[in-house]
Amino acid sequence: SFPPVPEQDMAGLEVLVTAGPTVEPIDAVRFISNYSSGKMGYALAADAAARGAAVTLVSGPVALEPPARVRVVPVKTAREMLAAAEEAAPRAAIAVFSAAVADYRPARPADRKLKKGVDDAALAAVELTPNPDILATVGAAKRPGQVVVGFAAETDDVAANARAKLASKHADMIVANQVGEGRAFGTDDDQVVLVTAAGDEELPLMPKRELAHAIWTRALEMR
Ligand code: CTP
Ligand code: CA
């Protein structure tokens, strides 16, 4: 038998998803990054495409197969991710920012390999500078009817921090989850709270693909 055809309830909609980590060069061979696997963003892209959406997936470097029928825009740094997101955002009915963007980048990356005994001062103290906030930038430029969704990975005060991000980033929804102790990063399941102006909705632990479906369904209701 064939698998069931998913409901095409996102047909005709363009959506944007950011996913994975960003990598920020220190020199020609080293970088700063984080543990993001990209699984949540790829699950979001796959689910929206299966429901008929035209998906742009702006992705940092990950070890995942691109989902079927998704336009993937590969990027490395936060600044590249911002440029790609700003290019796609004006056409997007819904934009979901699941990427784990490096908050800071080396201020002056070397275009060669830094060497012990030669570049010790530079290696011992890499000066950092803040990266742009991609969600906040797109959120601030949001037009009426556009739905913007962010994530918040927190070790402490999950709901309060998520609510603060809802406001500061001009988001319509924050998907909040507790991280640390092996939770969330790289796992196949997640337990989150959907934080909106209307209140908090705690979802049960579920596979990321099911969670992706729930996030789109909730975002579609907000249009
Ligand atoms: N985000 C982003 N660009 C950044 C930082 C974060 O687009 N430079 C987005 C993430 O994709 C996520 C949301 O903002 O959807 C929250 O990210 P998070 O790292 O939890 O929040 P920050 O604002 O960076 O604050 P902090 O890391 O200090 O908690
Ligand atoms: Ca951050």
Side-chain angles (χ1 to χ4, degrees):
S1 70
F2 296 100
V5 176
E7 197 188 342
Q8 299 293 292
D9 60 351
M10 294 178 75
L13 283 186
E14 290 210 27
V15 301
L16 164 66
V17 178
T18 71
T22 66
V23 299
E24 312 290 341
I26 296 169
D27 68 9
V29 298
R30 303 180 179 92
F31 59 81
I32 293 175
S33 191
N34 60 64
Y35 291 123
S36 173
S37 66
K39 284 178 182 173
M40 188 66 239
Y42 278 57
L44 283 158
D47 188 72
R51 294 164 79 164
V55 184
T56 298
L57 174 61
V58 179
S59 177
V62 296
L64 298 171
E65 285 298 315
R69 283 174 276 105
V70 167
R71 180 171 81 102
V72 181
V73 182
V75 297
K76 291 201 170 69
T77 68
R79 287 185 296 175
E80 290 169 8
M81 186 172 278
L82 174 64
E86 283 192 298
E87 194 278 318
R91 297 185 305 274
I94 306 172
V96 183
F97 296 82
S98 72
V101 182
D103 292 321
Y104 285 79
R105 67 175 183 276
R108 283 177 294 278
D111 50 21
R112 59 185 175 81
K113 180 183 171 184
L114 297 174
K115 296 287 290 177
K116 284 181 293 184
V118 180
D119 303 302
D120 295 302
L123 283 165
V126 176
E127 194 193 324
L128 303 179
T129 192
N131 264 330
D133 190 316
I134 300 161
L135 165 56
T137 305
V138 172
K142 178 173 68 172
R143 52 177 167 68
Q146 228 175 359
V147 176
V148 169
V149 179
F151 278 70
E154 309 287 349
T155 56
D156 308 286
D157 305 322
V158 180
N161 280 314
R163 198 151 285 288
K165 284 173 184 173
L166 188 71
S168 67
K169 294 167 188 273
H170 315 278
D172 300 293
M173 188 197 320
I174 294 287
V175 181
N177 63 354
Q178 179 116 30
V179 292
E181 300 134 43
R183 298 167 78 155
F185 277 115
T187 61
D188 291 321
D189 308 279
D190 249 330
Q191 200 273 305
V192 306
V193 180
L194 304 184
V195 177
T196 67
D200 296 357
E201 185 187 342
E202 187 166 345
L203 301 184
L205 179 72
M206 61 177 85
K208 282 181 173 163
R209 181 61 187 260
E210 263 175 55
L211 175 57
H213 196 87
I215 291 167
W216 287 123
T217 299
R218 187 78 189 80
L220 287 166
E221 289 166 6
M222 298 188 81
R223 294 183 72 231

